[in-house]
Amino acid sequence: MEMREQWRSRWGFVLAAAGSAVGLGNLWGFAYRASEGGGAAFLLLYILIVLVVCLPVLVSEMVLGRGTSSSALVAPVKAAGSKWSWMGWLFVIAPLGIGSYYAVLMGWTLDTFLHSLFFALPANTAEAETFFGSISTGSSVLLGQLISLLLTASVVSAGVRGGIERMSKWGVPILFTLLIVLALWAATLTGTWEGYRTFLFKIDISEFFNPSTIRNAFTQAFFSLSLGIGIMIAYSSYLDRKKQLPKEALAVASIDTAVGLLAGMITFPIVMSFGLKEVITGSTVGTLFISLPTGLGTLGLTGRIVAVLFFALAYIAAITSSISLLEVPVSSLMDKFAWSRSKAVFVSTSLLFILGIPSALSLDFLGKVDSIFGGVLLIFGGFMLAIFLGWVVPRKFDEDLASSNSNLSVRRYLKFMLRWVSPPVIAFGLIVSVIDLFQSWSS
Ligand code: TRP
């Protein structure tokens, strides 16, 4: 048997996992979910969910991947027998579902980047809407989607070290630096405080009980951490035994949350200083592609430079995420059918392209696929992982953390949360989210 590949260094793994986590979900998702009315309640719930339920689940995914040294498809079966094979399939189908429309969003990002670089920013909202209309329909959207998939495939086919690790190692630090520069710049705008206040600090107690805010917070926490559907299983299967997983998980979650906040500190001031609040409220992802370029368009050359940098960094962030979405089916096919990496990449990429066509052609369809695959299914996956490692194979969890010498109180804390806190809290989030989703569809 061939030796399984391993990450070259500790930072290689952390940056790749953080690269998967940090993506369009932080840059667009955080902004539009935060602007849907939840304000500070959304933010607090989101942070609480990350700390209380997501961290233990993140460690679980890592334990499962490293403990079995297998892809997401095979890992549950290896750990607990063939009656868990359905969970493996869930972990393959869900990334395919997300990857299919993720490439469409990447295509829009690429188009907007190229347009800001070579042409001009829109002069007003109407112009921006026309532009967004042109990139989100017809053949141009399919082209953007295809190019993004091919770029993703080229990284993944270069392998774990040569492709994924190398891409993340330069991509993540660059995008972090750019984000800090842009957040500092945004702090100098006239609408800055207004922006922070309206979207991030507006405290309204009733929002804590609003089902849509709860669904937004759960979805954002799981989506943004790439959690619940085997991404971290796949990445951790290339880890050696020495790493202390709780530490790695904390590093990934901290980078991811910091990026979400930084992105909010860029988008909200821009939107507020140019009186674009109406454009963004009650929005979908698409509206951000309209309001941001319009806001920046009023700032002349500076605005254009900022737009080019922001969309470039968004694209880098998106690639380091989409490679993780592709790696899950690729590693699963390699494991299960002993396919070569290039064959698995070719088949999975073709599948992603075909599955993404309906999302490319209909914004409404894209929104629905996102709510199912990028929302409730992730939360369900997170619930199953907590049950699986907390109750079905709890010894695996203990032994793994003990063998890598993780701190005893950290281990006790994680174990307790995983068994007693994560399952009921996630189940609650799941039920509220499903009901809220059906209500939003029927209204
Ligand atoms: N977390 C990424 C983002 O924020 C997207 C992503 C990559 C993802 N892999 C995932 C989301 C797995 C859910 C599950 O954009």
Side-chain angles (χ1 to χ4, degrees), residues 77-336:
V77 174
K78 259 205 184 160
S82 58
K83 63 175 183 299
W84 289 94
S85 63
W86 64 271
M87 200 158 120
W89 283 107
L90 171 75
F91 292 158
V92 174
I93 293 166
L96 286 173
I98 298 178
S100 71
Y101 69 87
Y102 205 79
V104 175
L105 301 178
M106 287 174 78
W108 299 351
T109 311
L110 181 63
D111 275 344
T112 316
F113 165 72
L114 292 175
H115 198 84
S116 320
L117 184 63
F118 292 115
F119 300 100
L121 290 175
N124 49 46
T125 313
E127 222 173 81
E129 271 164 7
T130 315
F131 174 67
F132 183 68
S134 73
I135 61 168
S136 59
T137 47
S139 54
S140 105
V141 60
L142 290 174
L143 187 64
Q145 176 206 12
L146 185 63
I147 293 174
S148 303
L149 280 175
L150 291 178
L151 277 173
T152 306
S154 69
V155 178
V156 174
S157 56
V160 174
R161 283 188 173 193
I164 299 176
E165 182 166 357
R166 193 185 291 165
M167 174 77 208
S168 312
K169 254 184 158 162
W170 68 262
V172 175
I174 289 184
L175 83 92
F176 209 78
T177 315
L178 279 178
L179 268 174
I180 291 179
V181 171
L182 293 184
L184 288 175
W185 168 80
T188 65
L189 295 173
T190 39
T192 305
W193 277 107
E194 202 42 36
Y196 296 164
R197 206 169 22 235
T198 318
F199 293 123
L200 299 171
F201 301 131
K202 190 193 72 187
I203 304 228
D204 176 353
I205 303 289
S206 69
E207 283 296 335
F208 282 103
F209 307 100
N210 180 342
S212 303
T213 304
I214 297 175
R215 169 158 74 101
N216 272 334
F218 268 95
T219 305
Q220 182 61 24
F222 279 87
F223 189 90
S224 178
L225 282 173
S226 303
L227 195 60
I229 52 166
I231 303 279
M232 297 298 162
I233 301 179
Y235 275 17
S236 309
S237 71
Y238 308 115
L239 265 181
D240 66 43
R241 305 274 150 187
K242 291 193 292 287
K243 309 278 182 312
Q244 299 188 0
L245 299 181
K247 258 195 204 158
E248 318 284 312
L250 192 64
V252 173
S254 313
I255 296 177
D256 185 60
T257 306
V259 170
L261 289 173
L262 276 173
M265 289 167 64
I266 298 171
T267 46
F268 293 127
I270 296 176
V271 169
M272 284 315 280
S273 11
F274 306 104
L276 294 164
K277 187 156 174 275
E278 286 67 42
V279 189
I280 192 176
T281 326
S283 62
T284 60
V285 199
T287 333
L288 272 166
F289 285 86
I290 296 170
S291 53
L292 269 191
T294 313
L296 292 170
T298 58
L299 284 180
L301 186 61
T302 321
R304 192 152 157 210
I305 295 172
V306 170
V308 170
L309 292 178
F310 189 80
F311 283 94
L313 88 85
Y315 202 68
I316 298 174
I319 289 195
T320 56
S321 297
S322 71
I323 55 184
S324 73
L325 288 163
L326 182 59
E327 176 64 18
V328 173
V330 165
S331 57
S332 297
L333 290 171
M334 289 169 67
D335 255 11
K336 180 91 182 167

Side-chain angles (χ1 to χ4, degrees), residues 363-426:
L363 284 178
D364 189 48
F365 190 87
L366 188 154
K368 291 217 159 71
V369 184
D370 178 37
S371 329
I372 297 171
F373 285 90
V376 289
L377 213 55
L378 297 179
I379 307 176
F380 174 69
F383 174 75
M384 285 315 305
L385 279 158
I387 296 288
F388 194 74
L389 280 129
W391 295 96
V392 181
V393 287
R395 294 259 308 275
K396 292 239 166 8
F397 192 78
D398 290 340
E399 284 164 6
D400 184 289
L401 298 193
S403 71
S404 55
N405 284 324
S406 292
N407 180 300
L408 189 63
S409 43
V410 171
R411 262 151 60 195
R412 287 211 178 112
Y413 167 80
L414 285 172
K415 179 106 194 260
F416 177 80
M417 299 308 269
L418 193 64
R419 287 172 76 107
W420 299 106
V421 180
S422 300
V425 175
I426 304 177

